[in-house]
Amino acid sequence: MSNYPPLNLRVRTPRVTLEAATDELLERLVPVVRAGLVVDGQPLPFDDPMTLYDESPQREWGWMRRVWAGRSRVSAEFWRLYFVVCEDGEPLGMQDLIGRDFAALGTVTTFSWLAPGARGRGLGKEARAAILQLAFDGFGAREAGSEAFADNKASNGVSAALGYSRNGTAWATRRGEPAQLLGWRLTRDDWAPRRRADIELSGVEECRPVLGL
Ligand SMILES: CC(C)(COP(=O)(O)OP(=O)(O)OC[C@H]1O[C@@H](n2cnc3c(N)ncnc32)[C@H](O)[C@@H]1OP(=O)(O)O)[C@@H](O)C(=O)NCCC(=O)NCCS
């Protein structure tokens, strides 16, 4: 157990566990990052700037620095909770929850990636369902948003499958090239009938004051 409550958060589903991204878990995920997340080709999933596009070993170093920096930047105005997605104890990727002015607005966004070999088996959907349960049930969120490039079928597929509605478009660059993003939103009312009874949250109450709640 850590003395820092965000590092004790855990979300467990029958298929995956989201473990707070401790240094030990980041170390265990490094081989996945080193192997290359975007090696399975086009379309590129991430908008710039993104350390995961860098060459190894700058990729791993930059990725770890981003997590450490994000972990230390915590206030009521902005926080980001980093989780490692584990299947049978094996780290496969990340699932983050981001709150901007959350105490005032109750809105969150999410970010995720899985190792190429772990994709397309429903784990991305399971990890998103898990983080939504933490947001809505654990922290009382009002609405969750998501964005993905229009050609990112898997990420848009996760949002569609979990009941999000389309919410406009935007533009961003990926490796310098402009591309269109699709926006998605899931309100608390849309989520409520889909609430899962088989997802277990731990460490939530202790974490609330850290996030200004
Ligand atoms: C996005 C990501 C986390 C999704 O996880 P995943 O495990 O691959 O997706 P799932 O297997 O849970 O599939 C979710 C839904 O999308 C659909 N889907 C997944 N891959 C698809 C594909 N290549 N084409 C069409 N539909 C697809 C699935 O059928 C499923 O919908 P359904 O439940 O209605 O059948 C994962 O693909 C990934 O890491 N991608 C690269 C990084 C990335 O894009 N991150 C998000 C940036 S916005």
Side-chain angles (χ1 to χ4, degrees):
M1 290 286 279
S2 172
N3 284 298
Y4 187 56
L7 291 179
N8 296 326
L9 283 170
R10 175 182 292 142
V11 187
R12 202 192 296 269
T13 87
R15 292 192 68 195
V16 297
T17 304
L18 308 187
E19 299 277 3
T22 59
D23 282 351
E24 190 254 331
L25 273 169
L26 292 180
E27 290 291 347
R28 289 181 56 206
L29 198 51
V30 163
V32 176
V33 177
R34 184 178 292 133
L37 285 167
V38 288
V39 287
D40 62 343
Q42 303 285 336
L44 298 173
F46 304 118
D47 52 335
D48 300 318
M50 170 45 90
T51 54
L52 295 174
Y53 287 138
D54 295 344
E55 293 300 319
S56 178
Q58 280 75 15
R59 177 165 62 235
E60 300 92 89
W61 298 341
W63 168 71
M64 291 173 103
R65 285 200 293 256
R66 285 291 283 255
V67 176
W68 292 330
R71 199 199 262 166
S72 72
R73 189 187 158 204
V74 174
S75 68
E77 289 73 41
F78 180 89
W79 45 259
R80 179 167 182 152
L81 298 171
Y82 297 83
F83 291 91
V84 174
V85 180
C86 298
E87 183 191 36
D88 299 328
E90 206 49 48
L92 298 178
M94 295 203 74
Q95 174 69 68
D96 301 347
L97 182 67
I98 300 141
R100 283 190 184 80
D101 285 325
F102 181 79
L105 303 176
T107 58
V108 291
T109 54
T110 58
F111 171 83
S112 65
W113 58 264
L114 292 174
R119 296 176 194 165
R121 290 195 283 123
L123 297 181
K125 199 164 112 178
E126 188 76 356
R128 182 90 70 85
I131 208 76
L132 288 173
Q133 194 100 354
L134 176 64
F136 285 115
D137 230 11
F139 297 137
R142 192 169 282 141
E143 186 174 303
S146 182
E147 268 188 344
F149 285 114
D151 52 13
N152 189 339
K153 293 196 167 68
S155 180
N156 290 309
V158 170
S159 299
L162 292 178
Y164 288 66
S165 308
R166 284 291 323 284
N167 186 25
T169 59
W171 286 85
T173 60
R174 44 184 174 182
R175 310 211 79 178
E177 291 298 318
Q180 194 170 43
L181 290 160
L182 303 184
W184 297 87
R185 69 194 278 259
L186 180 70
T187 64
R188 191 175 182 83
D189 284 349
D190 293 335
W191 169 81
R194 298 166 182 272
R195 181 187 179 278
R196 298 257 304 259
D198 59 353
I199 296 181
E200 186 193 317
L201 310 177
S202 340
V204 175
E205 278 313 306
E206 298 79 353
C207 194
R208 291 175 61 91
V210 182
L211 307 180
L213 303 175

